[in-house]
Amino acid sequence: MTGSEKSLRKGSSAPGPVADGSIRLYNMRFCPYAHRAKLVLVAKGINHEVVNINLKSKPEWFVEKNPLGLVPSLETSKGQLIYESPIVCDYLDEAFPGKKLNPEDPFQRAQQRMIVEHFSKLITLMFKVLAAKKNKEDTSPIVAECLEKFIKFDELLGKLNTRFFGGDSVSMVDYMIWPWFERFTMFDMKESLNKTPQINEWYQLMLKDSAVKATYTEPEVLLGFVELYAEDHIDAADYGL
């Protein structure tokens, strides 16, 4: 696996075909949606390569591959393209052997997807925090609203009465929501963990997970990225390299 290389941008050459026995992830180093795919790739031990894309200056060839210009995007050795993070993660779980991250039971699978959908409302709010930071506005009202929803999410985990959101071991739902917890410092929400004991316990367990450890980005690097991102700096995606 590679992925520490600088992002490709307009004018860059397209990478060659994907090697047999591998899969390519088009990624942006700080994108939480792409992080979902990285977690699944690592958790399942899938042989892969990572190509970083500068989303502020997308290469022409990348937009040809994916008209939406989104990460994560997967490319197979057959030239097949898959994008949108939930679809990417489900594809990886179904197409490759190893530990199954999605439950076999249809109801349990639906439950996990409902939790992710529930969490998506919090994600929307958290991105409003970033927008307020970019505009140099007071983030505290939005952070307070986030905390309100976060407490309800904590109550949900308490009702499940399991160590993780999908049971007593890490599963797809945990990987689908983890990237935003890793970025809590970006969203001014780290203190919220002190007010959500069930989530905090889950958070500490997730930090010990091998896929989380393998894809982890230090908070100070994330904050450095956010500062450049707020300035619309074209090199924000390469912060720390």
Side-chain angles (χ1 to χ4, degrees):
M1 180 189 72
T2 57
S4 59
E5 293 85 1
K6 288 201 169 184
S7 305
L8 300 182
R9 59 180 69 188
K10 279 182 184 173
S12 67
S13 300
V18 179
D20 286 339
S22 184
I23 195 162
R24 178 179 294 150
L25 171 68
Y26 293 105
N27 175 58
M28 194 283 268
R29 291 171 56 235
F30 300 104
C31 174
Y33 294 100
H35 191 181
R36 285 173 162 176
K38 288 191 288 182
L39 286 162
V40 173
L41 285 161
V42 173
K44 290 182 67 74
I46 298 169
N47 184 38
H48 66 285
E49 62 171 306
V50 178
V51 173
N52 291 321
I53 301 294
N54 189 321
L55 297 179
K56 287 190 176 292
S57 177
K58 295 171 189 173
E60 295 81 357
W61 54 263
F62 180 63
V63 180
E64 285 175 19
K65 287 179 183 289
N66 178 349
L68 299 179
L70 296 172
V71 296
S73 294
L74 294 177
E75 185 172 11
T76 71
S77 57
K78 296 176 182 176
Q80 300 161 323
L81 272 295
I82 304 110
Y83 45 87
E84 293 288 357
S85 64
I87 298 168
V88 162
C89 292
D90 282 345
Y91 169 82
L92 291 171
D93 199 36
E94 291 169 18
F96 290 86
K99 177 188 176 186
K100 286 297 176 190
L101 297 173
N102 276 316
E104 291 293 330
D105 180 73
F107 176 68
Q108 289 178 345
R109 196 158 58 244
Q111 266 192 320
Q112 289 204 10
R113 286 176 179 170
M114 286 189 290
I115 290 169
V116 173
E117 188 64 27
H118 180 61
F119 188 72
S120 69
K121 310 295 188 295
L122 181 54
I123 291 171
T124 302
L125 267 181
M126 288 163 73
F127 277 119
K128 286 184 179 179
V129 174
L130 275 193
K133 278 186 170 187
K134 189 174 180 181
N135 296 330
K136 301 192 178 344
E137 298 167 357
D138 179 17
T139 62
S140 54
I142 311 169
V143 171
E145 195 177 346
C146 284
L147 176 59
E148 193 179 307
K149 290 192 181 298
F150 193 42
I151 288 170
K152 290 189 183 301
F153 209 65
D154 187 66
E155 291 168 359
L156 170 63
L157 182 55
K159 286 176 186 172
L160 291 171
N161 198 29
T162 53
R163 300 200 311 157
F164 299 93
F165 280 96
D168 287 319
S169 61
V170 179
S171 60
M172 184 67 82
V173 61
D174 302 292
Y175 288 140
M176 292 292 281
I177 66 176
W178 171 256
W180 284 270
F181 287 89
E182 188 169 308
R183 289 159 178 76
F184 260 14
T185 49
M186 283 172 49
F187 300 108
D188 295 343
M189 283 195 63
K190 194 67 188 284
E191 291 303 312
S192 301
L193 289 170
N194 298 329
K195 297 171 184 175
T196 49
Q198 313 282 349
I199 296 280
N200 191 31
E201 195 173 323
W202 169 85
Y203 177 84
Q204 301 304 329
L205 286 170
M206 287 296 289
L207 285 172
K208 298 173 185 174
D209 179 75
S210 57
V212 168
K213 288 196 280 190
T215 60
Y216 188 77
T217 302
E218 294 294 338
E220 57 270 21
V221 178
L222 291 169
L223 289 172
F225 158 72
V226 167
E227 284 180 20
L228 288 183
Y229 170 84
E231 297 168 5
D232 282 325
H233 201 296
I234 196 167
D235 292 322
D238 292 329
Y239 179 81
L241 292 180

